[in-house]
Structure formats: structure tokens, C-alpha cells
Short mmCIF file of all heavy atoms in Angstrom, two decimals:
data_model
loop_
_atom_site.label_atom_id
_atom_site.label_comp_id
_atom_site.label_asym_id
_atom_site.label_seq_id
_atom_site.Cartn_x
_atom_site.Cartn_y
_atom_site.Cartn_z
N THR A 1 -195.33 -37.56 -32.07
CA THR A 1 -195.06 -37.98 -30.70
C THR A 1 -195.68 -39.33 -30.42
O THR A 1 -196.61 -39.77 -31.12
CB THR A 1 -195.60 -36.93 -29.69
OG1 THR A 1 -197.01 -36.81 -29.86
CG2 THR A 1 -194.94 -35.59 -29.85
N TYR A 2 -195.16 -40.00 -29.40
CA TYR A 2 -195.60 -41.35 -29.06
C TYR A 2 -195.89 -41.43 -27.56
O TYR A 2 -195.22 -40.79 -26.75
CB TYR A 2 -194.50 -42.34 -29.39
CG TYR A 2 -194.01 -42.31 -30.80
CD1 TYR A 2 -192.92 -41.47 -31.17
CD2 TYR A 2 -194.60 -43.05 -31.80
CE1 TYR A 2 -192.46 -41.43 -32.47
CE2 TYR A 2 -194.16 -43.01 -33.12
CZ TYR A 2 -193.09 -42.18 -33.42
OH TYR A 2 -192.61 -42.15 -34.73
N THR A 3 -196.83 -42.28 -27.21
CA THR A 3 -197.07 -42.61 -25.81
C THR A 3 -196.10 -43.71 -25.39
O THR A 3 -195.47 -44.33 -26.22
CB THR A 3 -198.50 -43.10 -25.58
OG1 THR A 3 -198.65 -44.38 -26.25
CG2 THR A 3 -199.55 -42.11 -26.08
N ILE A 4 -196.03 -43.96 -24.10
CA ILE A 4 -195.14 -45.02 -23.63
C ILE A 4 -195.58 -46.37 -24.20
O ILE A 4 -194.76 -47.23 -24.51
CB ILE A 4 -195.02 -45.03 -22.09
CG1 ILE A 4 -193.79 -45.82 -21.66
CG2 ILE A 4 -196.31 -45.53 -21.44
CD1 ILE A 4 -193.39 -45.59 -20.20
N GLY A 5 -196.90 -46.58 -24.37
CA GLY A 5 -197.38 -47.82 -24.97
C GLY A 5 -196.96 -47.96 -26.43
O GLY A 5 -196.60 -49.03 -26.86
N ASP A 6 -197.02 -46.84 -27.15
CA ASP A 6 -196.57 -46.85 -28.54
C ASP A 6 -195.10 -47.23 -28.63
O ASP A 6 -194.70 -48.04 -29.47
CB ASP A 6 -196.74 -45.46 -29.18
CG ASP A 6 -198.17 -45.01 -29.33
OD1 ASP A 6 -199.08 -45.86 -29.38
OD2 ASP A 6 -198.40 -43.77 -29.38
N VAL A 7 -194.31 -46.62 -27.76
CA VAL A 7 -192.86 -46.84 -27.78
C VAL A 7 -192.55 -48.29 -27.40
O VAL A 7 -191.68 -48.91 -27.98
CB VAL A 7 -192.14 -45.86 -26.81
CG1 VAL A 7 -190.68 -46.20 -26.66
CG2 VAL A 7 -192.29 -44.43 -27.33
N GLU A 8 -193.30 -48.80 -26.47
CA GLU A 8 -193.13 -50.20 -26.05
C GLU A 8 -193.36 -51.16 -27.25
O GLU A 8 -192.58 -52.04 -27.48
CB GLU A 8 -194.11 -50.52 -24.91
CG GLU A 8 -193.87 -51.80 -24.20
CD GLU A 8 -194.79 -51.97 -22.99
OE1 GLU A 8 -195.79 -51.25 -22.85
OE2 GLU A 8 -194.49 -52.88 -22.19
N GLN A 9 -194.40 -50.89 -28.02
CA GLN A 9 -194.69 -51.70 -29.20
C GLN A 9 -193.65 -51.51 -30.30
O GLN A 9 -193.23 -52.46 -30.93
CB GLN A 9 -196.07 -51.38 -29.73
CG GLN A 9 -197.18 -51.94 -28.88
CD GLN A 9 -198.54 -51.69 -29.51
OE1 GLN A 9 -198.76 -50.72 -30.21
NE2 GLN A 9 -199.46 -52.58 -29.22
N LEU A 10 -193.22 -50.26 -30.52
CA LEU A 10 -192.24 -49.97 -31.59
C LEU A 10 -190.89 -50.60 -31.33
O LEU A 10 -190.24 -51.11 -32.23
CB LEU A 10 -192.04 -48.46 -31.69
CG LEU A 10 -193.02 -47.67 -32.55
CD1 LEU A 10 -192.76 -46.18 -32.33
CD2 LEU A 10 -192.81 -48.00 -34.01
N THR A 11 -190.45 -50.52 -30.05
CA THR A 11 -189.07 -50.89 -29.73
C THR A 11 -188.93 -52.24 -29.09
O THR A 11 -187.83 -52.81 -29.05
CB THR A 11 -188.45 -49.85 -28.79
OG1 THR A 11 -189.16 -49.86 -27.54
CG2 THR A 11 -188.46 -48.45 -29.39
N GLY A 12 -190.02 -52.76 -28.54
CA GLY A 12 -189.94 -54.04 -27.81
C GLY A 12 -189.35 -53.87 -26.40
O GLY A 12 -189.04 -54.85 -25.75
N VAL A 13 -189.22 -52.64 -25.94
CA VAL A 13 -188.69 -52.36 -24.61
C VAL A 13 -189.88 -52.09 -23.69
O VAL A 13 -190.70 -51.22 -23.98
CB VAL A 13 -187.73 -51.15 -24.63
CG1 VAL A 13 -187.23 -50.85 -23.22
CG2 VAL A 13 -186.57 -51.39 -25.56
N LYS A 14 -189.93 -52.84 -22.58
CA LYS A 14 -191.07 -52.70 -21.65
C LYS A 14 -191.07 -51.32 -20.99
O LYS A 14 -190.05 -50.68 -20.80
CB LYS A 14 -190.95 -53.76 -20.55
CG LYS A 14 -191.04 -55.18 -21.08
CD LYS A 14 -192.43 -55.52 -21.47
CE LYS A 14 -192.55 -56.97 -21.85
NZ LYS A 14 -193.81 -57.29 -22.47
N ALA A 15 -192.29 -50.89 -20.61
CA ALA A 15 -192.48 -49.56 -20.03
C ALA A 15 -191.65 -49.37 -18.76
O ALA A 15 -191.02 -48.30 -18.55
CB ALA A 15 -193.94 -49.32 -19.74
N HIS A 16 -191.58 -50.38 -17.91
CA HIS A 16 -190.81 -50.25 -16.67
C HIS A 16 -189.33 -50.08 -16.95
O HIS A 16 -188.63 -49.38 -16.22
CB HIS A 16 -191.07 -51.38 -15.69
CG HIS A 16 -190.50 -52.71 -16.09
ND1 HIS A 16 -191.15 -53.56 -16.94
CD2 HIS A 16 -189.31 -53.29 -15.79
CE1 HIS A 16 -190.42 -54.65 -17.12
NE2 HIS A 16 -189.27 -54.51 -16.45
N VAL A 17 -188.84 -50.65 -18.03
CA VAL A 17 -187.42 -50.50 -18.43
C VAL A 17 -187.20 -49.07 -18.95
O VAL A 17 -186.19 -48.45 -18.61
CB VAL A 17 -187.02 -51.55 -19.47
CG1 VAL A 17 -185.63 -51.32 -19.97
CG2 VAL A 17 -187.20 -52.97 -18.90
N LEU A 18 -188.14 -48.57 -19.71
CA LEU A 18 -188.02 -47.21 -20.24
C LEU A 18 -187.96 -46.23 -19.07
O LEU A 18 -187.15 -45.30 -19.06
CB LEU A 18 -189.20 -46.86 -21.14
CG LEU A 18 -189.25 -47.64 -22.45
CD1 LEU A 18 -190.60 -47.40 -23.14
CD2 LEU A 18 -188.10 -47.24 -23.37
N ARG A 19 -188.81 -46.42 -18.06
CA ARG A 19 -188.82 -45.53 -16.88
C ARG A 19 -187.49 -45.63 -16.14
O ARG A 19 -186.95 -44.61 -15.65
CB ARG A 19 -190.00 -45.84 -15.99
CG ARG A 19 -191.34 -45.42 -16.61
CD ARG A 19 -192.49 -45.57 -15.62
NE ARG A 19 -192.77 -46.91 -15.26
CZ ARG A 19 -193.62 -47.71 -15.86
NH1 ARG A 19 -194.29 -47.27 -16.92
NH2 ARG A 19 -193.82 -48.95 -15.46
N TYR A 20 -186.94 -46.84 -16.05
CA TYR A 20 -185.63 -47.02 -15.38
C TYR A 20 -184.53 -46.29 -16.16
O TYR A 20 -183.69 -45.62 -15.58
CB TYR A 20 -185.30 -48.50 -15.26
CG TYR A 20 -183.89 -48.77 -14.78
CD1 TYR A 20 -183.51 -48.47 -13.48
CD2 TYR A 20 -182.93 -49.31 -15.65
CE1 TYR A 20 -182.21 -48.69 -13.06
CE2 TYR A 20 -181.64 -49.54 -15.22
CZ TYR A 20 -181.29 -49.25 -13.92
OH TYR A 20 -180.00 -49.47 -13.51
N TRP A 21 -184.54 -46.43 -17.48
CA TRP A 21 -183.52 -45.76 -18.30
C TRP A 21 -183.57 -44.27 -18.12
O TRP A 21 -182.52 -43.61 -18.15
CB TRP A 21 -183.71 -46.13 -19.77
CG TRP A 21 -183.32 -47.52 -20.13
CD1 TRP A 21 -182.72 -48.45 -19.30
CD2 TRP A 21 -183.47 -48.15 -21.39
NE1 TRP A 21 -182.51 -49.61 -20.00
CE2 TRP A 21 -182.96 -49.46 -21.29
CE3 TRP A 21 -183.96 -47.74 -22.62
CZ2 TRP A 21 -182.93 -50.37 -22.34
CZ3 TRP A 21 -183.97 -48.63 -23.67
CH2 TRP A 21 -183.46 -49.93 -23.53
N GLU A 22 -184.73 -43.68 -17.88
CA GLU A 22 -184.83 -42.25 -17.62
C GLU A 22 -183.99 -41.86 -16.40
O GLU A 22 -183.43 -40.77 -16.37
CB GLU A 22 -186.29 -41.85 -17.34
CG GLU A 22 -187.16 -41.80 -18.55
CD GLU A 22 -188.57 -41.40 -18.20
OE1 GLU A 22 -188.77 -40.47 -17.37
OE2 GLU A 22 -189.51 -42.03 -18.72
N GLU A 23 -183.88 -42.76 -15.44
CA GLU A 23 -183.14 -42.47 -14.23
C GLU A 23 -181.64 -42.59 -14.40
O GLU A 23 -180.89 -41.87 -13.74
CB GLU A 23 -183.60 -43.41 -13.10
CG GLU A 23 -185.01 -43.26 -12.68
CD GLU A 23 -185.44 -44.27 -11.64
OE1 GLU A 23 -184.56 -44.94 -11.02
OE2 GLU A 23 -186.64 -44.42 -11.44
N VAL A 24 -181.19 -43.50 -15.26
CA VAL A 24 -179.77 -43.82 -15.33
C VAL A 24 -179.07 -43.37 -16.60
O VAL A 24 -177.83 -43.38 -16.64
CB VAL A 24 -179.50 -45.33 -15.10
CG1 VAL A 24 -179.99 -45.76 -13.73
CG2 VAL A 24 -180.13 -46.17 -16.19
N VAL A 25 -179.80 -42.96 -17.62
CA VAL A 25 -179.19 -42.54 -18.87
C VAL A 25 -179.30 -41.02 -19.00
O VAL A 25 -180.41 -40.49 -19.06
CB VAL A 25 -179.86 -43.24 -20.08
CG1 VAL A 25 -179.28 -42.72 -21.38
CG2 VAL A 25 -179.74 -44.74 -19.99
N PRO A 26 -178.16 -40.34 -18.95
CA PRO A 26 -178.19 -38.87 -19.09
C PRO A 26 -178.80 -38.45 -20.43
O PRO A 26 -178.67 -39.14 -21.41
CB PRO A 26 -176.72 -38.48 -19.04
CG PRO A 26 -176.00 -39.65 -18.47
CD PRO A 26 -176.79 -40.85 -18.82
N ASN A 27 -179.48 -37.34 -20.42
CA ASN A 27 -180.08 -36.76 -21.63
C ASN A 27 -181.24 -37.58 -22.19
O ASN A 27 -181.70 -37.30 -23.28
CB ASN A 27 -179.06 -36.51 -22.75
CG ASN A 27 -177.97 -35.56 -22.29
OD1 ASN A 27 -178.19 -34.69 -21.46
ND2 ASN A 27 -176.79 -35.74 -22.84
N PHE A 28 -181.67 -38.61 -21.47
CA PHE A 28 -182.88 -39.34 -21.91
C PHE A 28 -183.99 -38.96 -20.94
O PHE A 28 -184.09 -39.47 -19.85
CB PHE A 28 -182.65 -40.87 -21.90
CG PHE A 28 -183.88 -41.63 -22.29
CD1 PHE A 28 -184.52 -41.39 -23.49
CD2 PHE A 28 -184.43 -42.59 -21.46
CE1 PHE A 28 -185.65 -42.07 -23.85
CE2 PHE A 28 -185.56 -43.28 -21.81
CZ PHE A 28 -186.19 -43.05 -23.01
N ASN A 29 -184.74 -37.97 -21.36
CA ASN A 29 -185.76 -37.41 -20.51
C ASN A 29 -186.98 -36.99 -21.34
O ASN A 29 -187.10 -35.85 -21.72
CB ASN A 29 -185.18 -36.15 -19.81
CG ASN A 29 -185.54 -36.08 -18.37
OD1 ASN A 29 -186.23 -36.96 -17.87
ND2 ASN A 29 -185.07 -35.04 -17.72
N PRO A 30 -187.84 -37.93 -21.64
CA PRO A 30 -189.02 -37.58 -22.45
C PRO A 30 -189.87 -36.52 -21.76
O PRO A 30 -189.92 -36.45 -20.54
CB PRO A 30 -189.79 -38.89 -22.59
CG PRO A 30 -189.16 -39.86 -21.67
CD PRO A 30 -187.85 -39.34 -21.23
N GLN A 31 -190.53 -35.70 -22.57
CA GLN A 31 -191.44 -34.68 -22.05
C GLN A 31 -192.61 -35.35 -21.34
O GLN A 31 -192.91 -36.52 -21.57
CB GLN A 31 -192.00 -33.85 -23.22
CG GLN A 31 -190.96 -33.11 -23.99
CD GLN A 31 -190.45 -31.87 -23.25
OE1 GLN A 31 -191.23 -31.22 -22.54
NE2 GLN A 31 -189.20 -31.59 -23.39
N LYS A 32 -193.27 -34.62 -20.50
CA LYS A 32 -194.49 -35.06 -19.85
C LYS A 32 -195.57 -34.04 -20.14
O LYS A 32 -195.34 -32.87 -20.15
CB LYS A 32 -194.28 -35.28 -18.36
CG LYS A 32 -193.35 -36.42 -18.06
CD LYS A 32 -193.23 -36.70 -16.59
CE LYS A 32 -192.24 -37.85 -16.38
NZ LYS A 32 -191.97 -38.07 -15.00
N ASP A 33 -196.81 -34.55 -20.36
CA ASP A 33 -197.92 -33.63 -20.56
C ASP A 33 -198.42 -33.11 -19.24
O ASP A 33 -197.87 -33.43 -18.19
CB ASP A 33 -199.01 -34.29 -21.43
CG ASP A 33 -199.73 -35.44 -20.72
OD1 ASP A 33 -199.55 -35.63 -19.49
OD2 ASP A 33 -200.49 -36.15 -21.42
N VAL A 34 -199.51 -32.35 -19.27
CA VAL A 34 -200.00 -31.72 -18.04
C VAL A 34 -200.48 -32.73 -17.00
O VAL A 34 -200.51 -32.42 -15.81
CB VAL A 34 -201.12 -30.69 -18.34
CG1 VAL A 34 -200.57 -29.50 -19.09
CG2 VAL A 34 -202.24 -31.34 -19.11
N THR A 35 -200.83 -33.92 -17.45
CA THR A 35 -201.28 -34.96 -16.52
C THR A 35 -200.14 -35.88 -16.06
O THR A 35 -200.37 -36.77 -15.26
CB THR A 35 -202.40 -35.82 -17.16
OG1 THR A 35 -201.88 -36.49 -18.28
CG2 THR A 35 -203.58 -34.97 -17.54
N GLY A 36 -198.92 -35.62 -16.56
CA GLY A 36 -197.76 -36.40 -16.14
C GLY A 36 -197.45 -37.58 -17.01
O GLY A 36 -196.56 -38.35 -16.73
#
């Protein structure tokens, strides 16, 4: 598993863009831990 920071480094996609994609791309819904 990866954190949002890890994914940002791996893919070159900024965290705010990843969060936006969660809203507009169906079936793209990463899990959240107990702290969110």
C-alpha cells in the first residue's frame, strides 16, 4: 500500500489532483484508514 505522498512521487500527479479524481472518476476510491 502507498500513502498519498508516495503516490504523488511515483506518478507525478499532485495530491490535490488525486483528490479531485476521486470525485469525478467512477470506481477510483482509495481506502481510508481509521484516521481518514
Side-chain angles (χ1 to χ4, degrees):
T1 60
Y2 305 91
T3 66
I4 198 165
D6 295 335
V7 172
E8 192 174 15
Q9 287 184 329
L10 275 170
T11 64
V13 178
K14 299 285 187 191
H16 70 275
V17 175
L18 293 169
R19 290 189 293 269
Y20 171 69
W21 287 355
E22 285 179 43
E23 296 175 16
V24 299
V25 176
N27 300 330
F28 178 57
N29 223 0
Q31 298 284 324
K32 292 185 181 173
D33 67 11
V34 292
T35 63

